[in-house]
Amino acid sequence: MDAFAGVLVGAGRPFAQSQWDPIYGSYTPPVASALSDFESSGYEARITTNLTRNWRFVANYAYTDSVRKNVYNEIIPWYGLKTDARGRLVQGVSQNAAGQFVINPSAFVPGGTVAKWIELGGLNAGANPTALTTSASVTVAQELFSLVDEMNASKEDQEKRWGLRPHRVSLFTAYDFKEGFLKNFTLGGGWRWRSANIIGTDSTGRELTGRTLSFADLMLRYTKKIEGLPGRLSFQVNINNLLDNTDIIPIHLLSNNTSNILPVGHGVAYSRYDFVDPREIRFSTTYSF
């Protein structure tokens, strides 16, 4: 819009400043981010059983699928961009034999922002998007080409199952001691596992993964009835991540671009890691009545 203002506004030109200001404001909205949708679905199954009168066992399995979709879902209609059957933006700018970037008006939705730029470009010869240059020293048509190209690249990069761990399994068992020197004690333990997280894709679109998570937990409880008082008093200790598994987790590739390949065959670099919570020991006292 600044480039158009330089050739369309002023004495002897299509717009006076007072006419241009509301047009300029309409097509330069103050925005800082883009919207998208996040869809998820899945199922979960749980089995709870008493193996004996004192021994219980719980098994849980869950599957989740989630994906980010419709990146730029409010920006695309504002620009008046079209999408193809695969959801990619239609590139309405091409280069001719002379290397000029040329706009195909039919590739854009009438009434959209790009259509307005095309309309403005037809008001005088100096505003032709093929020749008019912006502050980036490229033509308006090339700016539009880069806009569509970069939005397509961003959609392709972001509309994935980033971070998803589809499968989750947990097992837990506990035994209540009713007699002997361990009477009133409960000993329990569990195992939690989650499948590897999705951190990117390779050049063929195949998903790449980080690493699985696996933790062992322990529980010990002692319950006692206090004479002269109703109810029972229990002391419990829980140890999460018993084996202190704290290996860091890669969560995002730096890029699928070959310029970010590490030397000596180590593959694409990672841009982010997550730390794992270390072993946690929690003591609690409960009085129930």
Side-chain angles (χ1 to χ4, degrees):
M1 293 300 290
D2 290 333
F4 284 123
V7 295
L8 295 178
V9 181
R13 293 176 175 173
F15 297 99
Q17 189 65 52
S18 59
Q19 295 172 308
W20 177 255
D21 287 342
I23 299 173
Y24 184 90
S26 296
Y27 291 95
T28 55
V31 295
S33 61
L35 298 178
S36 60
D37 294 325
F38 187 79
E39 296 182 2
S40 64
S41 61
Y43 49 85
E44 184 171 2
R46 177 187 292 264
I47 297 174
T48 303
T49 181
N50 291 322
L51 301 174
T52 69
R53 184 164 167 259
N54 301 336
W55 185 14
R56 57 191 177 277
F57 175 79
V58 179
N60 193 89
Y61 169 77
Y63 173 80
T64 302
D65 188 20
S66 63
V67 65
R68 188 179 183 188
K69 301 179 68 175
N70 299 326
V71 174
Y72 302 128
N73 62 4
E74 86 290 15
I75 294 177
I76 291 171
W78 184 81
Y79 277 119
L81 304 177
K82 294 182 179 181
T83 57
D84 60 21
R86 297 181 301 159
R88 288 180 57 83
L89 302 176
V90 174
Q91 179 56 270
V93 181
S94 59
Q95 281 184 283
N96 60 23
Q100 292 178 309
F101 287 86
V102 180
I103 299 175
N104 173 16
S106 66
F108 303 98
V109 178
T113 299
V114 176
K116 183 64 176 181
W117 293 342
I118 296 171
E119 176 191 332
L120 293 174
L123 295 180
N124 71 30
N128 187 335
T130 300
L132 178 64
T133 58
T134 69
S135 58
S137 299
V138 298
T139 65
V140 171
Q142 186 173 348
E143 290 269 23
L144 179 55
F145 175 88
S146 297
L147 171 72
V148 175
D149 199 45
E150 290 169 8
M151 287 178 66
N152 267 330
S154 182
K155 281 172 64 65
E156 185 175 339
D157 181 61
Q158 295 183 52
E159 293 183 343
K160 295 189 183 338
R161 305 194 302 166
W162 291 115
L164 176 66
R165 296 179 180 274
H167 304 278
R168 185 172 70 248
V169 176
S170 64
L171 306 173
F172 179 79
T173 186
Y175 188 86
D176 300 319
F177 293 91
K178 301 293 187 180
E179 54 189 13
F181 72 97
L182 290 178
K183 183 179 180 181
N184 297 327
F185 277 94
T186 296
L187 178 64
W191 175 73
R192 294 173 287 132
W193 176 87
R194 298 195 68 179
S195 58
N197 54 319
I198 296 170
I199 62 174
T201 56
D202 62 16
S203 58
T204 67
R206 181 178 62 90
E207 290 181 338
L208 303 176
T209 57
R211 72 176 187 87
T212 61
L213 293 179
S214 179
F215 303 105
D217 304 316
L218 186 66
M219 181 272 288
L220 179 65
R221 181 173 64 239
Y222 176 73
T223 304
K224 180 176 178 62
K225 186 170 183 357
I226 301 177
E227 293 186 15
L229 291 176
R232 303 178 71 84
L233 182 67
S234 65
F235 305 92
Q236 183 168 319
V237 58
N238 289 84
I239 305 177
N240 294 328
N241 192 5
L242 177 67
L243 303 179
D244 200 25
N245 179 5
T246 56
D247 293 340
I248 61 175
I249 305 169
I251 62 170
H252 209 296
L253 291 177
L254 180 60
S255 170
N256 291 334
N257 193 312
T258 55
S259 64
N260 295 307
I261 298 294
L262 295 174
V264 199
H266 288 293
V268 178
Y270 301 128
S271 64
R272 291 180 58 192
Y273 289 89
D274 265 355
F275 291 98
V276 177
D277 291 335
R279 180 189 296 119
E280 177 188 66
I281 303 175
R282 179 178 299 178
F283 297 92
S284 59
T285 303
T286 305
Y287 178 61
S288 57
F289 57 92

